[in-house]
Amino acid sequence: EQEPQIRALYTEDAQQRFQLMREAQGRPDPAKLADLERTTMGKVARLLTPAQRKALLDTRTKAPAQ
């Protein structure tokens, strides 16, 4: 049930990113991209169970291995 809804949110995100890239001629404002990501992740998080939200947060806050 969640998967198609989340897939649609990511599709919308990709379309908006493409629009930002096109409007900025390939160099979009990092603040606008960050705002778009926050908005999309907020929408995704609302569809998840508490355990799923925690798992998502855990994967997003871990530092990349060096």
Side-chain angles (χ1 to χ4, degrees):
E1 179 180 313
Q2 296 167 312
E3 192 174 330
Q5 294 171 322
I6 292 172
R7 192 173 297 128
L9 290 173
Y10 281 121
T11 298
E12 179 183 333
D13 179 270
Q15 290 169 344
Q16 290 178 6
R17 283 179 188 277
F18 178 76
Q19 182 68 26
L20 287 173
M21 293 285 280
R22 190 172 58 197
E23 289 172 359
Q25 299 175 345
R27 301 184 75 146
D29 180 353
K32 288 182 180 181
L33 289 174
D35 185 50
L36 177 58
E37 182 173 352
R38 274 191 303 276
T39 300
T40 299
M41 292 310 296
K43 290 176 182 178
V44 168
R46 284 193 293 271
L47 296 173
L48 301 177
T49 65
Q52 290 170 324
R53 279 193 296 273
K54 182 181 182 323
L56 178 63
L57 182 60
D58 288 349
T59 62
R60 295 183 55 80
T61 58
K62 289 185 180 176
Q66 294 183 349

